[in-house]
């Protein structure tokens, strides 16, 4: 005798909707504001510096909340850049305190140096984690610009108001781009541009420290390099616009391909600078 076979109905499978990632952008930016306030308490930049630091923290929170409104969380490289934002806020507070005689030099130099060193970290982190983005690159660039502007204000106290041209040039170029649309086109990668950007930060920090005599000459040389770099980029953009109007525009991608073919024919592939896909020595200023 065999037992009758009984069929059991399988239990219904309940499909669960995928969990949406937690919204962490807000807490991350709030933590940056808290870190900024803690840094101000540590630095004690005086009443003027404290006012500038608190205003900087609130303005940064508002701007970054708007810039990252479409992201649920910041990437790993953005966290590094956010730390640089906090350090730059500390530098701004110390410079404001210096203007009223309430701040010391060495905390300013230390904070600015740390921000400059971290400038070489966020780009590498972005590439290694596969989180490179135009927004991240813009975030990095604008943080660099604010740091250079603040340092130029500090150095202008001793070297003269002409130093302010270093910090203002990036914003003058941005203002010109509003009036002249062809200045908004993407620039091709350039190791020279990165090197000049590094020189600005180093020269301003050295001049702010007061350790090197006649540092005004160093800052003047840095300004001359910056003028050359901006002039070179404007000339390239003008040439690109002229080629577009003639219908003979060579795009940056096509230019890189031409450079690669020429290097391969000459046995020098991979040694070019403008078409470099990986940052080597001068990694610290863009990603």
């Amino acid at each position: 005798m065999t037992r009758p076979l009984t069929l059991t109905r399988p239990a219904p499978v309940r499909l669960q909707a995928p969990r949406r990632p937690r919204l962490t952008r807000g807490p991350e930016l709030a933590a940056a504001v808290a870190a900024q306030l803690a840094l101000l308490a540590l630095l004690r930049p005086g009443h003027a510096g404290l006012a500038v630091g608190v205003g900087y923290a609130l303005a940064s929170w508002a701007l970054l909340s708007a810039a990252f409104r479409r992201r649920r969380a910041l990437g790993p490289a953005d966290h590094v850049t956010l730390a640089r934002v906090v350090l730059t806020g500390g530098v701004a507070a110390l410079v404001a305190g210096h203007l009223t005689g309430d701040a010391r030099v060495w905390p300013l130099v230390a904070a600015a140096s740390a921000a400059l060193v971290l400038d070489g970290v966020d780009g590498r982190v972005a590439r290694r984690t596969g989180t490179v983005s135009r927004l991240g690159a813009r975030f990095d660039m604008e943080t660099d610009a604010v740091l250079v502007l603040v340092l130029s204000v500090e150095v202008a106290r001793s070297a003269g108001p002409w130093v302010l041209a270093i910090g203002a040039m990036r914003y003058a170029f941005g203002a010109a781009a509003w009036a002249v649309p062809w200045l908004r086109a993407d620039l091709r990668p350039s190791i020279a541009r990165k090197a000049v950007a590094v020189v600005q930060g180093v020269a301003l920090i050295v001049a702010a420290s007061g350790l090197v005599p006649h540092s005004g000459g160093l800052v003047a040389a840095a300004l001359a390099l910056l003028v050359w770099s901006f002039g070179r980029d404007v000339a390239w953009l003008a040439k690109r616009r002229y080629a577009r109007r003639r219908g003979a525009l060579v795009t940056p991608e096509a230019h890189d391909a031409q450079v690669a073919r020429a290097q391969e024919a000459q046995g020098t592939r991979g040694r070019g600078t403008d078409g470099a896909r990986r940052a080597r020595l001068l990694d610290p200023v863009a990603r």
Side-chain angles (χ1 to χ4, degrees), residues 138-160:
R138 182 67 181 271
F139 184 23
D140 183 30
M141 181 181 66
E142 297 301 339
T143 305
D144 293 339
V146 174
L147 179 61
V148 170
L149 176 62
V150 171
L151 288 173
S152 66
V153 172
E154 169 66 19
V155 177
R157 294 175 57 252
S158 57

Side-chain angles (χ1 to χ4, degrees), residues 4-10:
L5 181 64
T6 58
L7 299 177
T8 60
R9 181 178 297 178

